[in-house]
Amino acid sequence: EVQLVQSGAEVKKPGESLKISCKGSGYSFTNYWIGWVRQMPGKGLEWMGVIYPGDSDTRYNPSFQGQVSISVDKSSSTAVLQWASLKASDTAMYYCARRLDSAEPFNIWGQGTMVSVSS
Amino acid sequence: IQLTQSPSSLSASVGDRVTITCRASQGISSYLAWYQQKPGRAPKLLIYPASTLQSGVPSRFSGSGSGTDFTLTISSLQPEDSATYYCQQVNSYPLTFGGGTEVEI
C-alpha cells in the first residue's frame, strides 16, 4: 500500500527549532515529488514547497522561502520540513503529499502533523 | 496565479444539484484539480485534470472548464458530501489553492 506517514504532533516555544518528517512507503520514493501544505486553524490550504527526492530539486512558495527548509533523506525514504526559529504564527497543521510529475496534483497525502507554538 | 472560488460556503439539501466555481487570474489550460476535505482529515483528490474523475470517486461528482473558468458539480448531494472543497492549479509555480467552499447539508 502506498502511504505517507508523518511524525507526531509537536508543542514548541517561539524561537525554538523544529523538524517534522514524512516517510514514504509502498512505492519508489525517489521517483515522486513530495510537497508540504500548511493549514492554519480554521483556514484554507497553502502550498509551501516541493522537493524531488531523485535529485533534491526544490521549489518554494515565495511566501515561505527563507522561513522553512525542505529536504529529503533518500536512505530512509523520508522528507523533512524544518524551521530554524519558530513563531506563534507557525501554529498549524502541516501535510505532506505526493505528486508524480511537475504538472500533477497531490494524489497521496500524509495524515498531517499539528505544530503548536506558544510561550 | 490567483484562484478565486465561489461561493465560500453554501447550504443545500440531500438530492440537490450543487455547483462550485473556480476562476484563475490567468489561463491555466486544464491544469486544475479539485479536492475534498472533511473535518480532521487530509484532503482527497477528486478530479484532475479539470474534468477527469479520479478512480473511486462517485460519478455524481463532475468537473468542467479550461483556461480561466472551472466548475465542480455534485449532481445529487449526499450526506457524506458535507466537506470543504478546494481547487488547485498545477500549471506553474507557485502552486496555488482556491480559498475553499464549505458545503453544508
Side-chain angles (χ1 to χ4, degrees), chain B residues 46-64:
Chain B
L46 296 178
I47 291 172
Y48 182 77
S51 59
T52 301
L53 221 58
Q54 294 295 295
S55 175
V57 175
S59 59
R60 62 181 179 273
F61 291 92
S62 64
S64 64

Side-chain angles (χ1 to χ4, degrees), chain A residues 33 37 39 43-47 50 59-62 95 99 102-107 109-112, chain B residues 31 33 35 37 40-45 47-48 54 86 88 90-91 93-100:
Chain A
W33 293 80
V37 174
Q39 188 167 39
K43 302 298 184 183
L45 305 173
E46 300 174 272
W47 176 78
V50 287
R59 312 295 176 92
Y60 289 96
N61 183 333
Y95 293 101
R99 66 196 297 222
S102 60
E104 295 282 326
F106 297 119
N107 66 340
W109 291 68
Q111 82 277 20
Chain B
Y31 295 109
Y35 298 90
Q37 186 181 32
R41 304 292 299 274
K44 173 188 174 183
L45 180 64
I47 291 172
Y48 182 77
Q54 294 295 295
Y86 295 93
Q88 182 198 28
V90 295
N91 179 75
Y93 291 117
L95 309 184
T96 44
F97 290 94

Side-chain angles (χ1 to χ4, degrees), chain A:
Chain A
E1 179 192 5
V2 174
Q3 58 179 352
L4 298 174
V5 178
Q6 298 185 230
S7 50
E10 300 275 0
V11 179
K12 306 292 279 186
K13 293 185 178 348
E16 293 186 331
S17 63
L18 176 64
K19 289 184 181 182
I20 63 174
S21 66
C22 170
K23 183 174 175 61
S25 63
Y27 72 99
S28 178
F29 182 74
T30 54
N31 289 352
Y32 292 78
W33 293 80
I34 294 283
W36 290 93
V37 174
R38 183 175 80 174
Q39 188 167 39
M40 299 176 77
K43 302 298 184 183
L45 305 173
E46 300 174 272
W47 176 78
M48 301 176 72
V50 287
I51 187 165
Y52 187 72
D55 61 6
S56 294
D57 183 11
T58 309
R59 312 295 176 92
Y60 289 96
N61 183 333
S63 297
F64 292 92
Q65 182 98 41
Q67 309 304 308
V68 298
S69 178
I70 296 171
S71 60
V72 292
D73 177 355
K74 289 191 283 189
S75 68
S76 63
S77 299
T78 300
V80 172
L81 177 66
Q82 64 182 43
W83 293 258
S85 180
L86 286 161
K87 307 181 188 68
S89 57
D90 292 318
T91 294
M93 180 70 82
Y94 292 88
Y95 293 101
C96 65
R98 187 195 83 163
R99 66 196 297 222
L100 173 61
D101 206 344
S102 60
E104 295 282 326
F106 297 119
N107 66 340
I108 302 292
W109 291 68
Q111 82 277 20
T113 296
M114 183 66 206
V115 173
S116 299
V117 184
S118 174
S119 54

